[in-house]
Amino acid sequence: MSERASSPVGTAEPASGASPTATPTPTASPTERPGRGAALVHRLVVVRELGILAALLLLVVATVVANPRFLSGQNIRDLLISASILTVLAAGQTVVIITRNVDLSVGSTLGLSAYATGTLLVNGTPVPLAVLAGVAVGALCGLLNGVIVAVAKVPSLVVTLGTLYAIRGLDSLWASQSGRLQINAADLPSGFKAIAGARVLGVPVLFLVAVAVVVLVGHHLRSYRSGRELYGIGSDPDAARLSGIPVGRRVLAAFVVSGALAGLAGVMYAARFQTLDATAGTGQELFVVAAAVVGGVAIFGGSGSVYGAALGALLLTTIGAALPQLGLNPFWREAAVGALILAAIVLDRSLSLRLARRLRGRNLRGS
Amino acid sequence: MPGAAVLALEDVSKSFGAVAALRGARLELRAGEAHALVGENGAGKSTLVKILAGVHAPDAGRVLLDGQPVHLDGPAAARAAGIAVIYQEPTLFPDLSVAENIFMGRQPLGGGRRIDRKELHARCAALFERLGVRLDPERPARGLSIADQQMVEIAKALSFDARVLVMDEPTAALSGVEVERLFTVARALRDGGAAVLFISHRFEEVFDLCDRITVMRDGQWVATDDAADLTVDQVVRLMVGRDVSSLFPKQDVEPGEVVLSVRGLTRRGVFSDVSFDVRAGEIVALAGLVGAGRSEVVRAVFGVDAYDEGSVEVAGRPLRPGRPAAAMAAGVALVPEDRRQQGLVMELSVERNATLTRRWQLARGGLLSSRAERATAAEWSTKLQVKAGKLADPVSTLSGGNQQKVVLAKWLSTNPRVLIVDEPTRGIDVGTKAEVHRLLSQLAADGLAVVMVSSELPEVLGMADRVLVMHEGRLVDDIPRARADEGSVMLAATGQGRTTAVAP
C-alpha cells in the first residue's frame, strides 16, 4: 500500500506522560497516520469512477469494432448534446439525493420549462430573457417541492411524486388552453435554434454548459460550508439538527437548485429538439436517478459526487446510442440500464464493505 | 475560585405528552467550577441537558445566562451563547471525515469563503494532540469504535472554547486512560474560567472531578452541595430516596455441566485463539480495556460476525458459524452493547420489541395478534419491573435503564441456556443497576450460563465467578473469584500479567 506523504500535519505524538500504559501493538498498526484514512476513501472514489470510465471505454471500443463510424465527429457531438441534458438533470438530482431526499418531478419540470420557453420565444421575447424565464420556472417548481418537504415535513418521495403529476398536468392544461399543442421549429427564432449547433473549438456549446454546471455544483459541494452541510444532513439528519445546521433551509435550497437545473435542462431540450409539446421529458426522472446511482451517489444520502453522476449520465446515454450500432434491438437499452444499476449497487456494496474492514482493522489501539 | 453564575435554570418544567420529565428543576453553574448532576435514569437529567442545548424549550421556568433570561430556540442559539454539549450517544456524520465532523458549520475559510482544508486538518490535529488522541483527521467517522466516537465528540466540544461545557455521561465508553485525559482537559477548561457540567453514574469520577453536586429525583431538584461535604452513600440515598441494598448480590451456585464451549476462536486482525468454557449456573466476566476485542468475541460466538478459525459448542453440539438464528435455536441469547442500534427497534412499541424474538411462536396460523404480543410483553415487563407509560408506546420514550430491561425481556422470553450480556449496565442508574445485577444472579442460580462483558471493574469483581481477561485480541488470564481483585485484573488487561494462553 502506498503511503501518502502529502499530508500537511505530522503524526501527533501524545504529550509525554499522557498515556503511561500505551504499548505498541505488534500485529496491527496501532496508530492512525494522518492521510491514510483519506487515502483509503479517495482510492475508493477513484476506483468507483474509474469503473464507470472503464465500462464506458469498453462500450465505445466494442461499438467502434462493430461500426467504425460510431466515432465520427458528428456522432460524438450528437452523443455529447444528448448527454448534456441528462447531465444537468443528474447534477441537480445529486444535490437533492445527497440530503437523503429525491426529486421525482424533474421530468415534468423540464417539460413545463421547455414549453414556457418555447411559448415566450414564439411571442417574441428576446432569447436571453426567455432562457432566464425557463430557469426561473424550474426554480419555482423546485421551491414548491422544497417548501412542502421542509415545512410540512412530508417525505420527498411522496411530495415529488405528487408534483410530478401536478406539474405535468399544468403543462398539458396550458398547452390545450393556449391552442398551441405543439410548438414547431418554424415558430422559433433562428437565434435560439442556433444554440443547438453552436460550437466552441468544435465542442458543442450545450455540452460546455453541462460541464460548467457540473464543475460549479461539484466545487460548491466540496468546498463550501453549505455544501458540506448538505452531506451532513444526508449522513445523519438528527446529528445535523443537533449541530445547529439549518436543515430545513438547506433542503429547501437543494430542491430549488434541482428545480432550476431542471428548468435549464428544459431550455436545452427546447434548443435541441425545437419541437415542443406537453409530453417533453416524460419519464426522465427515473433515468436521472439511475444516472446518479450508477455514478455512485448513495440513494440514502451523505456520499457521492456530481462528477460521478455526470459520468453515469454519459454512460447511460452512450448505451442508448451504441446498442443500435451493435446491431441490437434498441429495446435492450432498458435492460442494459437495469443491469448497470444492479452492477453499480453490487460494486458500491462490496467496496464499502472492504472500506469498512480496512477502517475496522485500524481501530485496534495501543492504549 | 468559582465566580458568578454563568448559566442557571429556575423552576424549569417540561412535559412530553402525559409524562412530566421535569417538574421545577433547578441548576446553577458558576464560572470556574466543575459541577456534577446525578440522579437515577428517568430523573430528567437528559431532558435538562437538552434544554441547555436548545433542543427542547421549557414549558415553564427560566433559563438565565449571566443573570439575564434567554430563549435558546435551537442548538445554533445555544452554541452562539457558548454552550457546548457532549451527548450520551455520539451524534456524528458517518460519511464525513473526522475533521469535518468536528468543525461542521465552523470550518476555517480561505479565499472566496472556500473551506481551507489544510487549516481544517491542522486544527483538528492540534485538538487531538491536546487530547492525546491518535486519530487520523481525514478518515471518515464511519467504523470508529464508540470510544473513538466519543473522543471526536469531546474534541468537537473543545473546539468551541465554550463558556459552559455539558458532558452527558461521556465516560461510559472510555477506558481509564481516556477518562483521565478527558478530565485533564475538563480541569484545564475549568481553571480557565469555564463552567463544566458533568453527568455520570460513576461516583469515583464525580468526586474526582467535581466541586459541587446537584442531585435530581423524578424530574425534581433534590439538593446541591459541595462535593467535599458529601459521601457516596449520602449521594446514593439522595438519588433513590432510600437505602440501596448491596450493589452486587451474586449468589453462590454450584456450577453444573459445561454449556458453552469455545475453542481456538480466531478472527484475523481482531482476536485470535480464544478458548473458554462456561458452566450452567456460572457467571463468567470478560474483562479488558476498550478495544481488546471482547464484544467482537461474543458477537462471533452468537454468529453476528463470522470467524476464521475455531469452533463453538453449546451443550456438546457444534454451532454453525455466522448464523444468529442457529444460535438462538440452540438456546443462546445476546444482549448487545449498543441497545439503541443493535438491541431495540427504537420506533416500535415496547410490546413489539419485547416479543420480536418470539414472533413465530406467538403467531397463530402465521398471523401475529397484538393481544398475544401484549400478554407476553405484560408478563415480562411485570417480572422485570419495566417502567413504561403504556406498552404500546415507542420504546424510544423509555429511559435507558428501562430500555435495557426491554432488551433483557426480549431475550429471556426465549428461555435461553446461555445468556451473553455486553455491558449490561452501561448508562444505567444505581437503582436499576442493582435490579439488573439481582436479575442476572437469579438467572444464574436457576441454571443459566451467563457470559458478561463489562468495563466496570466493581461490577466484574462483584458479579463474576470467573474473570476472563482479554488484551489486544487474546485471552491472557482466567482468574477465579477468590483471586480476582482490581490489581490482578488490571495487570492482565494492560498486558503486564500472565501472558501464556489459558487452558480452559
Side-chain angles (χ1 to χ4, degrees):
Chain A
M1 185 186 312
S2 70
E3 195 73 55
R4 287 223 315 173
S6 63
S7 173
V9 278
T11 307
E13 279 300 320
S16 57
S19 60
T21 59
T23 48
T25 317
T27 48
S29 77
T31 59
E32 304 227 325
R33 267 158 293 185
R36 282 277 297 276
L40 278 175
V41 175
H42 179 73
R43 216 169 45 169
L44 184 136
V45 171
V46 169
V47 165
R48 190 65 181 73
E49 281 165 11
L50 280 182
I52 308 172
L53 269 181
L56 194 60
L57 209 65
L58 200 72
L59 183 66
V60 170
V61 168
T63 314
V64 169
V65 168
N67 180 358
R69 271 183 307 171
F70 185 65
L71 274 190
S72 73
Q74 190 52 42
N75 212 354
I76 291 180
R77 276 193 291 275
D78 276 350
L79 191 70
L80 291 184
I81 290 177
S82 303
S84 305
I85 297 171
L86 190 62
T87 301
V88 169
L89 287 174
Q93 190 69 251
T94 302
V95 175
V96 171
I97 292 181
I98 279 174
T99 66
R100 205 180 275 194
N101 283 290
V102 70
D103 187 352
L104 293 183
S105 70
V106 288
S108 303
T109 304
L110 182 153
L112 185 64
S113 155
Y115 191 80
T117 310
T119 306
L120 286 174
L121 288 170
V122 170
N123 292 337
T125 313
V127 172
L129 214 59
V131 169
L132 284 181
V135 176
V137 164
L140 273 177
C141 293
L143 186 67
L144 176 71
N145 285 326
V147 164
I148 305 178
V149 170
V151 177
K153 307 236 185 301
V154 185
S156 54
L157 184 77
V158 187
V159 171
T160 57
L161 188 63
T163 51
L164 157 73
Y165 288 103
I167 294 171
R168 181 66 67 191
L170 194 68
D171 197 3
S172 308
L173 202 65
W174 186 11
S176 62
Q177 299 272 312
S178 68
R180 198 192 294 275
L181 279 174
Q182 191 170 334
I183 297 169
N184 293 311
D187 306 330
L188 293 172
S190 55
F192 184 72
K193 283 187 283 192
I195 296 176
R199 293 182 214 160
V200 176
L201 301 173
V203 184
V205 164
L206 287 182
F207 182 68
L208 291 177
V209 168
V211 169
V213 164
V214 167
V215 169
L216 275 177
V217 175
H219 182 61
H220 186 93
L221 284 178
R222 188 176 145 72
S223 295
Y224 286 85
R225 281 182 182 171
S226 50
R228 302 315 295 170
E229 286 175 1
L230 293 180
Y231 281 96
I233 292 166
S235 198
D236 189 333
D238 291 332
R241 234 163 258 125
L242 287 179
S243 308
I245 295 176
V247 175
R249 263 206 343 254
R250 292 280 178 267
V251 170
L252 186 121
F255 274 102
V256 172
V257 167
S258 169
L261 289 181
L264 178 63
V267 175
M268 292 163 77
Y269 183 96
R272 167 151 165 70
F273 293 101
Q274 300 173 8
T275 304
L276 304 166
D277 60 19
T279 63
T282 305
Q284 279 294 297
E285 53 278 341
L286 292 185
F287 210 52
V288 173
V289 175
V293 170
V294 167
V297 179
I299 198 77
F300 285 120
S303 69
S305 73
V306 273
Y307 308 114
L311 282 177
L314 191 59
L315 179 57
L316 293 198
T317 312
T318 311
I319 289 177
L323 290 184
Q325 309 284 337
L326 288 168
L328 287 168
N329 189 323
F331 293 118
W332 276 103
R333 179 186 178 197
E334 264 146 47
V337 170
L340 209 58
I341 293 174
L342 294 179
I345 292 168
V346 170
L347 182 68
D348 279 342
R349 182 75 191 134
S350 61
L351 284 178
S352 77
L353 279 180
R354 270 186 51 188
L355 179 69
R357 252 200 314 273
R358 286 280 172 73
L359 289 174
R360 197 185 53 204
R362 293 145 51 78
N363 265 337
L364 288 176
R365 289 173 308 155
S367 56
Chain B
M1 238 17 264
V6 184
L7 186 65
L9 296 180
E10 279 185 352
D11 290 318
V12 166
S13 299
K14 176 76 189 172
S15 298
F16 300 99
V19 183
L22 290 179
R23 297 175 296 169
R26 254 190 271 168
L27 184 72
E28 184 203 62
L29 299 176
R30 297 178 189 155
E33 76 162 346
H35 194 117
L37 179 62
V38 297
E40 287 195 271
N41 273 359
K45 300 180 305 271
S46 291
T47 309
L48 193 145
V49 166
K50 288 199 170 146
I51 285 176
L52 293 178
V55 176
H56 296 320
D59 297 337
R62 300 198 296 170
V63 182
L64 302 175
L65 188 72
D66 295 323
Q68 301 297 315
V70 285
H71 288 283
L72 302 173
D73 52 3
R79 281 192 175 194
I83 304 170
V85 182
I86 300 170
Y87 293 96
Q88 203 172 345
E89 312 285 345
T91 49
L92 297 181
F93 305 112
D95 299 301
L96 300 186
S97 77
V98 165
E100 288 199 289
N101 264 286
I102 292 173
F103 290 98
M104 179 53 84
R106 300 171 292 118
Q107 297 97 331
L109 299 180
R113 298 189 59 73
R114 281 195 302 270
I115 294 171
D116 183 346
R117 277 172 197 271
K118 260 190 181 164
E119 176 69 14
L120 175 69
H121 294 137
R123 283 196 198 174
C124 181
L127 269 178
F128 282 164
E129 191 159 7
R130 198 168 146 202
L131 275 170
V133 178
R134 296 177 170 201
L135 276 177
D136 175 1
E138 295 177 54
R139 67 160 284 163
R142 188 183 299 285
L144 286 178
S145 69
I146 290 192
D148 282 339
Q149 289 180 34
Q150 200 61 273
M151 292 315 281
V152 173
E153 287 284 344
I154 290 163
K156 198 198 289 180
L158 265 183
S159 70
F160 281 105
D161 285 325
R163 301 177 60 205
V164 179
L165 173 64
V166 180
M167 305 192 284
D168 190 355
E169 292 198 44
T171 59
L174 303 186
S175 69
V177 179
E178 290 162 330
V179 169
E180 206 31 64
R181 276 187 210 139
L182 171 62
F183 282 10
T184 308
V185 172
R187 284 193 190 101
L189 282 175
R190 178 193 65 186
D191 297 342
V196 176
L197 180 66
F198 180 65
I199 297 173
S200 176
H201 291 304
R202 298 186 182 169
F203 292 116
E204 319 92 81
E205 295 175 1
V206 165
F207 281 93
D208 185 20
L209 179 69
C210 296
D211 311 307
R212 291 199 300 158
I213 299 178
T214 291
V215 182
M216 285 180 71
R217 184 169 70 225
D218 299 331
Q220 286 172 306
W221 175 85
V222 176
T224 300
D225 265 310
D226 284 345
D229 300 340
L230 287 168
T231 64
V232 173
D233 284 349
Q234 284 171 318
V235 173
V236 172
R237 220 171 295 136
L238 286 168
M239 278 168 59
V240 294
R242 62 189 148 82
D243 287 319
V244 179
S245 55
S246 159
L247 275 177
F248 307 106
K250 165 67 172 124
Q251 302 164 10
D252 277 323
V253 179
E254 193 58 40
E257 294 290 298
V258 170
V259 185
L260 176 69
S261 172
V262 175
R263 285 289 172 274
L265 211 61
T266 299
R267 176 169 189 170
R268 265 172 232 117
V270 185
F271 53 83
S272 59
D273 197 21
V274 173
S275 304
F276 60 90
D277 285 338
V278 185
R279 294 167 181 279
E282 230 184 359
I283 296 184
V284 171
L286 264 181
L289 300 178
V290 170
R294 299 164 299 164
S295 302
E296 289 76 6
V297 167
V298 295
R299 283 169 62 87
V301 167
F302 189 65
V304 182
D305 296 338
Y307 47 85
D308 299 318
E309 281 163 39
S311 64
V312 177
E313 285 185 5
V314 176
R317 302 175 64 139
L319 202 58
R320 282 181 66 183
R323 292 288 183 93
M328 281 172 67
V332 184
L334 172 72
V335 175
E337 176 182 15
D338 185 344
R339 57 180 170 262
R340 292 170 59 89
Q341 298 266 330
Q342 298 160 359
L344 294 167
V345 187
M346 296 308 282
E347 296 83 14
L348 288 187
S349 66
V350 174
E351 54 200 21
R352 272 278 150 88
N353 267 291
T355 54
L356 264 181
T357 48
R358 302 211 327 129
R359 55 198 189 285
W360 288 105
Q361 291 94 313
L362 288 175
R364 291 266 173 281
L367 293 178
L368 198 53
S369 85
S370 33
R371 200 193 303 162
E373 282 185 332
R374 188 155 306 164
T376 320
E379 178 193 333
W380 279 99
S381 59
T382 322
K383 270 192 204 166
L384 302 186
Q385 301 174 336
V386 177
K387 284 177 205 134
K390 286 200 307 286
L391 288 179
D393 289 342
V395 78
S396 56
T397 61
L398 299 189
S399 69
N402 282 307
Q403 287 178 1
Q404 186 69 322
K405 288 185 191 171
V406 175
V407 185
L408 277 168
K410 162 177 148 184
W411 286 108
L412 292 178
S413 66
T414 62
N415 279 324
R417 306 156 87 160
V418 181
L419 177 67
I420 305 173
V421 284
D422 195 351
E423 302 288 359
T425 60
R426 167 178 295 166
I428 289 185
D429 61 87
V430 187
T432 317
K433 209 177 225 178
E435 282 177 45
V436 169
H437 288 148
R438 199 170 300 123
L439 187 70
L440 289 177
S441 170
Q442 179 61 45
L443 290 165
D446 294 346
L448 196 67
V450 179
V451 179
M452 177 176 78
V453 176
S454 174
S455 295
E456 287 194 39
L457 216 42
E459 176 171 274
V460 167
L461 298 174
M463 292 292 296
D465 294 300
R466 281 189 295 134
V467 184
L468 304 175
V469 187
M470 286 191 70
H471 173 66
E472 287 174 4
R474 286 177 178 280
L475 205 56
V476 290
D477 211 347
D478 181 348
I479 311 175
R481 187 187 184 89
R483 275 207 302 118
D485 57 31
E486 296 210 4
S488 59
V489 175
M490 280 319 286
L491 273 180
T494 50
Q496 323 281 315
R498 278 171 49 188
T499 44
T500 48
V502 183

